[in-house]
Amino acid sequence: MGIGWRLAMQAALYGADGFFVRQRSGPADHFRTSVHASPLFARALVGLVERVDAALGRPAAFDLVDVGAGRGELLSAVCAMLPGELAGRVRPVAVEMAPRPAGLSPAIRWRRAVPEVVTGLLVATEWLDNVPLDVVETDEAGRLRKVLVDRHTGAETLGGAADPAEVFWSARWWPGPGRVEIGAPRDAAWAEAVSRVRRGAALCVDYGHRRAERPPFGSLTGFREGRQVAPVPDGSCDVTAHVAIDAVASASGLAYEMVRQRAALQALGVSGARPPLALAGSDPAAYLRALSAAGAAAELTSSTGLGDHWWLWHPIGIDLPLI
């Protein structure tokens, strides 16, 4: 007998033997994110930290919270790039269900939940796509029904009627017949995380879609060892679904700015432009370094890849646009 996708994902990803809990080497072995693609991503976030810090009046302590921190790769990279005076005031916090990895800097605090009070910058990079959700589907009579899944095979069947709350969310954010991935748990998770930020900003970076662009057959899928696979919720692979980013943006009730990653990174100085050929003649080593950086920047800003991710920005208690 099958169970709802939300329960299946919760067990498969975060249970005692879940995919994210038992991975020793971390998610980077299974899928490529902006964090793993290039240090240019971390460098851009350093620029954001500096801007938020200035808007806050350079407080004595600046909280830098990474939700869904993986193995702490992003925080480690950002902290290594911070200028000395600011580095002394930043308090890095990794929020992750997996155990603390060996060798992580002792300066990085490791928690399973977002701190109660954050003054600084909260970042969630490809976190919400792994927040478990239920799936419903329209049957032949036009009714929304739960999609049930066998945890061992991934085979799906239609179950009972969708809950009233699921019907309501679907009508508002994913109308029309077909398959619907109920994003309400992601909305609630993001709103709760943002509510912890007293002053500063919250940034969500993830792949997603808006109301007019919902995928008619959904986006639920799996990843294992760098390859896309069937989403079998047995703990052997990542199970993920794109984020209904406009629903998430509205969930906190706060003002927000939402742009594609390519626009955000370009505004923060990450450019995929090739260096001038003249540099190759005058300084070949510098030309090769610049060419490598341009290639990494091009991957981060590609309109058919990472550059198509959404950046959702909430300034809280400060006047600071993203771009």
Side-chain angles (χ1 to χ4, degrees):
M1 179 180 293
I3 61 174
W5 265 108
R6 186 178 182 186
L7 288 177
M9 286 181 68
Q10 183 66 38
L13 298 179
Y14 305 111
D17 197 36
F19 179 78
F20 285 119
V21 173
R22 64 179 171 79
Q23 292 294 322
R24 291 185 178 179
S25 55
D29 283 353
H30 299 275
F31 49 87
R32 187 171 175 82
T33 71
S34 298
V35 175
H36 308 119
S38 168
L40 291 175
F41 185 81
R43 194 179 306 280
L45 288 186
V46 169
L48 271 186
V49 169
E50 291 176 315
R51 290 174 57 193
V52 174
D53 181 56
L56 288 171
R58 297 179 173 82
F62 183 103
D63 299 316
L64 178 58
V65 181
D66 184 10
V67 186
R71 293 301 179 264
E73 301 95 333
L74 179 60
L75 278 179
S76 297
V78 168
C79 289
M81 297 178 187
L82 289 170
E85 188 276 332
L86 177 55
R89 293 187 287 109
V90 164
R91 298 187 299 192
V93 180
V95 179
E96 182 57 71
M97 299 293 288
R100 182 187 184 94
L104 188 69
S105 168
I108 298 176
R109 290 183 292 159
W110 195 264
R111 296 173 50 100
R112 291 173 63 90
V114 178
E116 290 293 328
V117 177
V118 175
T119 300
L121 178 63
L122 179 142
V123 180
T125 304
E126 294 192 41
W127 167 54
L128 288 180
D129 60 278
N130 285 127
V131 171
L133 47 61
D134 274 313
V135 180
V136 300
E137 194 169 306
T138 309
D139 66 12
E140 294 179 353
R143 298 170 299 185
L144 282 177
R145 293 169 61 185
K146 292 259 195 186
V147 175
L148 307 180
V149 61
D150 185 296
R151 284 199 59 201
H152 304 289
T153 67
E156 294 182 341
T157 55
L158 281 185
D163 298 336
E166 294 170 334
V167 174
F168 177 82
W169 189 93
S170 299
R172 182 180 182 189
W173 293 112
W174 201 315
R179 185 177 172 97
V180 178
E181 293 157 354
I182 303 296
R186 280 105 179 260
D187 302 347
W190 181 242
E192 174 63 20
V194 172
S195 73
R196 306 295 177 88
V197 182
R198 296 297 184 264
R199 291 185 68 232
L203 172 66
C204 168
V205 180
D206 226 315
Y207 46 91
H209 41 68
R210 294 175 296 184
R211 193 175 187 271
E213 307 156 348
R214 306 287 189 230
F217 303 106
S219 62
L220 195 69
T221 191
F223 286 94
R224 182 190 301 116
E225 297 177 355
R227 296 186 178 185
Q228 190 170 5
V229 297
V232 179
D234 60 358
S236 69
C237 66
D238 176 29
V239 180
T240 177
H242 285 46
V243 178
I245 194 69
D246 46 356
V248 168
S250 299
S252 70
L254 299 173
Y256 65 86
E257 189 176 351
M258 193 167 64
V259 300
R260 296 287 189 179
Q261 173 160 297
R262 55 184 175 272
L265 288 181
Q266 287 165 0
L268 290 166
V270 177
S271 170
R274 293 172 63 91
L277 282 174
L279 184 61
S282 61
D283 191 341
Y287 176 78
L288 289 176
R289 289 194 300 270
L291 191 63
S292 175
E299 180 182 5
L300 289 172
T301 58
S302 170
S303 60
T304 58
L306 296 173
D308 208 37
H309 284 189
W310 287 104
W311 281 39
L312 171 61
W313 175 255
H314 295 284
I316 301 163
I318 59 174
D319 182 12
L320 184 64
L322 178 59
I323 61 174

